[in-house]
């Protein structure tokens, strides 16, 4: 990919006008479900001639189909258009300490096949070989012709390095720091690979597969191995210079708080992240017993995967809380209060209208966190006099990063919006841009 603005170059030869009108039209059709050409003119502001041309090309490419007629309102009945959901597919992969989740989605972002493989090799080369085999068998399992698979989206725990790859990885994934993961997986699968962090991928997944409107200014708050947030501003992902925008796990909530792995003190993640919750649970024998945590040192390095990862142990503490264990519940309520402070800070800074709680941690513990976050925003969100902030749990919290990673491919292939066209930003060095635009 070598840092080009359009990862696969599929749209590189087309004039920008076509790429962007096509992108906008396709996105409106996707979001609307079904819509007429007249509806597209009204929604996009393009001329009837432009809509006619763009729609004809989308139909020729098999991406859009005519699907019947709108209710007659006395005049000529309007032909309705819809996304041809089975015309293209994308692979989404979420690589985390607990294992690897693979999904295959159709053009609409709906999951058509999914598999989770716990564990994995600590050796990136071996891991990539195994991932390529899983991807091939996933595609084969649903009988999708290879040419219909647009690419592989790969969601990893951030932070990302400028220009792709992981850097400054969380402690348990240090071996991956210098490894060119996206290029290696691309070579092994023969498919274009786009890389993003798990929180941003989750935000895009919410947007693409429904629930979040096309012009929304919203954040997906992600709790998995760590804590993060992905941002969509007016329907466009905001990634920052290096793909690391939205790192609410490293907002300082206590200046003299505990040291964080990032080098700062008192970060949300150090106070309230899954590892901090698990450590506190281990320190209380009653809670540790209720959650079924064994007696090993929580800081000892474990193999990737298996029951001992922070995410799995956090889920065990959360389940104990949900079963009614008071000690476990108190720990999670503490964590939720800190997370709520970080979420309020993010909402204040970005003037958000909607927040989705997602990620594997919140798939289990979301019902404990949701009311605390809601209450904090109702009580103290800065612009509450002007508007509220809607908070909800993701309908696909556990699989959100993988689904979002697939959406990253759909988006980068079919909706090649360049961030620079929508969000003013300085781009002194195009080659240093992250490979993913969405
Ligand atoms: Zn930190």
């Amino acid at each position: 990919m070598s840092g080009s603005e359009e990862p696969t170059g599929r749209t590189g030869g087309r004039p920008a006008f076509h790429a962007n009108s096509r992108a906008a039209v396709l996105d409106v059709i996707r979001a609307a479900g079904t819509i007429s050409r007249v509806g597209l003119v009204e929604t996009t502001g393009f001329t009837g001639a432009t809509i006619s041309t763009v729609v004809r090309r989308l139909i020729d490419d098999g991406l859009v189909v005519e699907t019947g007629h709108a209710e007659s309102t006395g005049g000529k009945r309007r032909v309705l258009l819809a996304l041809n959901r089975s015309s293209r597919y994308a692979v989404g992969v979420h690589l985390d300490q607990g294992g690897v989740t693979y999904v295959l989605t159709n053009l609409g972002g709906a999951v058509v096949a999914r598999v989770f493989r716990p564990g994995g090799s600590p050796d990136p080369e071996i891991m990539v070989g195994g991932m390529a085999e899983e991807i091939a068998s996933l595609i084969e399992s649903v009988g999708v012709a290879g040419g219909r698979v647009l690419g592989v989206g790969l969601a990893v725990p951030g932070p990302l390095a400028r220009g792709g790859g992981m850097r400054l990885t969380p402690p348990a994934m240090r071996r991956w720091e210098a490894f060119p993961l996206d290029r290696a997986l691309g070579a092994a699968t023969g498919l274009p690979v786009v890389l993003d962090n798990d929180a941003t991928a989750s935000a895009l997944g919410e947007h693409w597969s429904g629930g979040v409107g096309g012009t929304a200014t919203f954040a997906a708050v992600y709790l998995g191995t760590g804590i993060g947030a992905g941002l969509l501003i007016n329907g466009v992902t905001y990634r920052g210079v290096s793909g690391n925008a939205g790192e609410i796990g490293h907002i300082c909530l206590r200046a003299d708080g505990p040291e964080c792995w990032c080098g700062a003190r008192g970060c949300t993640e150090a106070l309230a992240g899954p590892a901090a919750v698990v450590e506190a649970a281990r320190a209380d024998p009653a809670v540790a017993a209720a959650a079924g945590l064994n007696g090993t040192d929580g800081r000892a390095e474990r193999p990737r995967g298996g029951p001992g990862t922070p995410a799995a142990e956090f889920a065990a503490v959360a389940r104990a809380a949900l079963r009614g264990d008071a000690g476990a519940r108190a720990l999670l309520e503490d964590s939720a209060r800190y997370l709520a402070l970080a979420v309020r800070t993010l909402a204040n800074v970005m003037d958000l209208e909607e927040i989705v709680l997602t990620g594997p941690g919140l798939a289990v513990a979301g019902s404990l966190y949701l009311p605390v976050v809601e209450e904090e925003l109702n009580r103290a969100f800065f612009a509450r006099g002007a508007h509220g902030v809607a908070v909800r749990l993701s309908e696909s919290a556990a699989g959100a990063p993988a689904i979002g990673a697939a959406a990253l491919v759909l988006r980068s292939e079919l909706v090649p919006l360049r961030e620079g066209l929508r969000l003013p930003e300085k781009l002194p060095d195009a080659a240093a841009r992250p490979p993913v635009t969405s």
Side-chain angles (χ1 to χ4, degrees):
M1 263 174 315
S2 68
S4 72
E5 286 191 351
E6 288 160 359
T8 66
R10 266 172 206 249
T11 55
R14 294 191 194 120
F17 170 79
H18 286 150
N20 287 294
S21 53
R22 175 184 165 97
V25 168
L26 193 66
D27 204 33
V28 169
I29 296 171
R30 178 192 63 74
T34 59
I35 190 168
S36 68
R37 288 173 176 79
V38 173
L40 285 172
V41 170
E42 287 164 0
T43 309
T44 62
F46 294 137
T47 64
T50 298
I51 290 297
S52 174
T53 305
V54 169
V55 166
R56 192 168 61 244
R57 287 183 188 167
L58 289 170
I59 290 173
D60 287 347
D61 289 348
L63 298 172
V64 165
V65 287
E66 294 183 332
T67 179
H69 294 82
E71 291 284 310
S72 174
T73 52
K76 190 178 160 193
R77 292 206 307 160
R78 294 169 178 175
V79 176
L80 289 175
L81 304 161
L83 208 59
N84 183 5
R85 289 167 189 274
S86 57
S87 63
R88 303 286 193 282
Y89 295 83
V91 177
V93 179
H94 176 213
L95 176 65
D96 199 19
Q97 280 173 264
V100 189
T101 305
Y102 303 85
V103 299
L104 186 69
T105 75
N106 66 19
L107 185 58
V111 175
V112 296
R114 173 178 177 160
V115 64
F116 174 72
R117 298 290 182 224
S121 169
D123 180 336
E125 300 267 6
I126 294 171
M127 195 67 195
V128 163
M131 288 163 73
E133 284 172 24
E134 290 288 352
I135 289 167
S137 63
L138 187 76
I139 294 168
E140 203 184 315
S141 72
V142 286
V144 171
R148 291 190 164 198
V149 179
L150 294 168
V152 178
L154 184 55
V156 298
L160 302 170
R162 274 171 79 116
M166 288 189 287
R167 293 289 145 77
L168 308 167
T169 53
M173 297 186 79
R174 288 266 152 83
R175 285 189 183 97
W176 294 72
E177 267 190 17
F179 187 72
L181 181 57
D182 48 358
R183 287 195 293 279
L185 189 62
T189 58
L191 289 165
V193 174
V194 289
L195 181 72
D196 212 330
N197 77 54
D198 42 22
T200 302
S202 298
L204 187 60
E206 291 291 336
H207 172 65
W208 190 271
S209 56
V212 175
T215 58
T217 290
F218 98 106
V221 170
Y222 181 85
L223 198 149
T225 295
I227 293 173
L231 290 163
L232 250 91
I233 308 300
N234 294 328
V236 179
T237 49
Y238 179 70
R239 312 180 71 261
V241 170
S242 62
N244 292 301
E247 277 290 350
I248 61 166
H250 304 279
I251 287 175
C252 179
L253 298 177
R254 253 174 50 196
D256 59 349
E259 273 184 30
C260 180
W261 65 265
C262 77
R265 277 187 176 279
C267 295
T268 314
E269 200 168 297
L271 289 162
V277 170
V278 169
E279 195 180 324
R282 282 183 184 283
D284 181 332
V287 175
L293 302 177
N294 61 30
T296 59
D297 179 359
R299 285 160 298 181
E301 186 171 357
R302 297 183 176 84
R304 287 190 70 239
T309 60
E313 292 183 335
F314 173 82
V317 177
R319 280 192 291 271
L322 292 168
R323 284 194 302 267
D325 183 82
R329 198 177 174 97
L331 288 181
L332 286 174
E333 283 172 355
D334 273 354
S335 166
R337 273 192 287 274
Y338 280 120
L339 183 69
L341 293 176
V343 170
R344 170 164 62 84
T345 301
L346 181 69
N348 284 352
V349 170
M350 302 305 297
D351 195 12
L352 300 175
E353 62 185 342
E354 188 172 353
I355 287 165
V356 181
L357 303 181
T358 189
L362 291 168
V364 182
S367 64
L368 298 168
Y369 282 74
L370 177 66
V372 182
V373 173
E374 270 182 328
E375 201 218 314
E376 178 66 23
L377 289 167
N378 289 338
R379 187 182 68 80
F381 170 57
F382 179 76
R384 64 191 179 280
H387 65 93
V389 185
V391 189
R392 65 179 175 83
L393 290 178
S394 168
E395 286 169 17
S396 55
I403 296 166
L408 204 63
V409 174
L410 302 172
R411 183 106 191 193
S412 66
E413 284 286 331
L414 301 173
V415 190
L417 290 175
R418 297 175 200 174
E419 286 160 283
L421 295 178
R422 298 284 287 269
L423 297 167
E425 60 179 330
K426 278 199 312 203
L427 293 170
D429 175 9
R433 293 189 70 192
V436 178
T437 58
S438 56

